[in-house]
Amino acid sequence: MAYRHIDSQSNEISLPVSKVVCIGRNYLDHIQEMNSTVSEAPLLFMKPKAALCHMHEHLGIPTDKGDCHNELEVSVLLKSPLKNASDDEVKDAIWGIGLGLDLTLREVQAALKKQGQPWERAKSFDNSAPLSGFVPLSKVNNIDDLRFNLTINDEVRQQGHTKLMLHKIIPLIAHMSSIFSLDSGDVILTGTPKGVGKLSPADKIAASLDGHLTVKTEVVAE
Ligand code: ZN
């Protein structure tokens, strides 16, 4: 099925499919595992429409470009446009939250970093952003108090908590909207905690947002 935004009960959400805006280096434990440095201004990058797919249907990874890594992240779906937005305007523009994978070709990324080149070749390929359904914001008590985790073949690989973000969700989106306009239907991926690692075909994946949703899927060679 072509990608459409869906809620956690798999009902279609009537918002356009648009771009994905991502932040890198938003959790200290991940910065440390990568031997990266804390960036003062958020490190931003984008994925195009063709990166989107449904996590429960499709976890296809390229197998001819080196290791493809999991990065499980809290996702945010916008229902209205934002430009130079205040925190309150951001809150009003959020449809809901879910989970997304920022699939990353780690060896390609390392080569790009070395050459000082942008990351699209490593992060913005087709189907590089498998998403869960979205939970309406009204069902979320506190967006800065969300636990999430990823298991691979029943072993915990990633555990995150949104209170540990260096740039919290609402001010982060406000900042993004000061750099480029955000549109209704845009998805924000809010950064990965530690535990990134290689995915292999036939890996069984479960991604959970505590109290809200779990998605089970399996990795296949693209
Ligand atoms: Zn990421």
Side-chain angles (χ1 to χ4, degrees), residues 101-192:
L101 281 163
D102 167 19
L103 294 180
T104 302
L105 292 165
R106 194 64 72 193
E107 289 150 45
V108 174
Q109 186 195 30
L112 294 169
K113 280 182 179 171
K114 210 180 264 176
Q115 297 165 49
Q117 291 190 7
W119 294 356
E120 279 83 351
R121 287 172 185 275
K123 282 181 171 285
S124 307
F125 51 92
D126 287 6
N127 299 321
S128 60
L131 300 183
S132 75
F134 292 90
V135 178
L137 190 64
S138 57
K139 295 201 174 147
V140 179
N141 278 336
N142 180 356
I143 203 167
D144 295 320
D145 184 20
L146 297 168
R147 274 175 207 285
F148 58 103
N149 68 78
L150 180 75
T151 66
I152 301 186
N153 302 321
D154 296 322
E155 281 181 25
V156 177
R157 176 149 325 169
Q158 292 196 271
Q159 281 180 302
H161 195 296
T162 54
K163 74 178 177 198
L164 298 175
M165 288 180 177
L166 300 176
H167 302 278
K168 303 285 190 295
I169 293 174
I170 302 294
L172 170 65
I173 296 174
H175 173 73
M176 286 171 168
S177 82
S178 76
I179 309 294
F180 28 68
S181 296
L182 299 172
D183 296 310
S184 64
D186 279 357
V187 172
I188 315 298
L189 288 180
T190 58
T192 186

Side-chain angles (χ1 to χ4, degrees), residues 22-25 30 45 71 73 102 104 123 189 191-192:
C22 310
I23 178 171
R25 303 181 187 168
H30 174 62
F45 58 95
E71 294 193 359
E73 313 194 355
D102 167 19
T104 302
K123 282 181 171 285
L189 288 180
T192 186

